[in-house]
Amino acid sequence: MDDKIALVSCSGLSPLGLVVRAATVELALDNDNIVAACITEYSAQPNNCAPILEDAKIVSITGCSDDCVSTILEEKDIEVIKNIDAESVVKAFDLNPNDSIRLDDDGEEAVKVLKRFILSELASI
């Protein structure tokens, strides 16, 4: 996994949006080849964010069934090589984050689980 990976993630105001943001930012801080991209900023100012996505494999991380991330990237003609459904991952571990402002106990555990899952998925691309 030496290629540049751009994790374009949910930035919603739900508890899961917070989990997704925390997981993707932590992965970007811990891995030189991973960058975290804010879908809201990309949607509003694609020209400012385009350099972040340049030469990167794009992975979308959705926070809910609305899948705003994939919809926006598709509208911008951005090729996504993998889509990760964070809600399914968190539910598979019977976690239920409940706070959209601060990570509660389930939220903290959900971040750990999601990070491990994302890394395992990135290993296969």
Side-chain angles (χ1 to χ4, degrees):
M1 185 179 73
D2 294 330
D3 293 335
K4 179 180 173 185
I5 306 288
L7 300 178
V8 184
S9 62
C10 171
S11 59
L13 291 177
S14 70
L16 197 51
L18 176 60
V19 166
V20 171
R21 284 191 312 278
T24 56
V25 169
E26 285 183 17
L27 285 170
L29 291 172
D30 293 342
N31 297 274
D32 291 336
N33 65 316
I34 296 176
V35 295
C38 172
I39 193 60
T40 306
E41 183 180 14
Y42 187 75
S43 181
Q45 300 178 10
N47 293 336
N48 291 347
C49 293
I52 294 171
L53 303 183
E54 256 179 43
D55 301 321
K57 293 181 177 180
I58 311 299
V59 176
S60 67
I61 317 290
T62 65
C64 71
S65 61
D66 289 339
D67 195 5
C68 301
V69 176
S70 295
T71 301
I72 291 168
L73 291 174
E74 187 176 303
E75 288 173 356
K76 305 286 185 188
D77 292 324
I78 300 295
E79 180 185 352
V80 175
I81 64 162
K82 183 168 283 290
N83 182 44
I84 296 173
D85 177 9
E87 187 173 33
S88 295
V89 174
V90 170
K91 283 185 177 181
F93 285 85
D94 200 30
L95 296 168
N96 186 27
N98 287 304
D99 195 333
S100 60
I101 299 170
R102 289 176 186 77
L103 292 169
D104 56 12
D105 290 342
D106 270 11
E108 289 285 354
E109 189 59 31
V111 168
K112 293 175 190 173
V113 164
L114 186 57
K115 284 173 51 179
R116 284 193 303 266
F117 184 84
I118 292 169
L119 286 174
S120 72
E121 291 293 299
L122 295 182
S124 68
I125 59 173

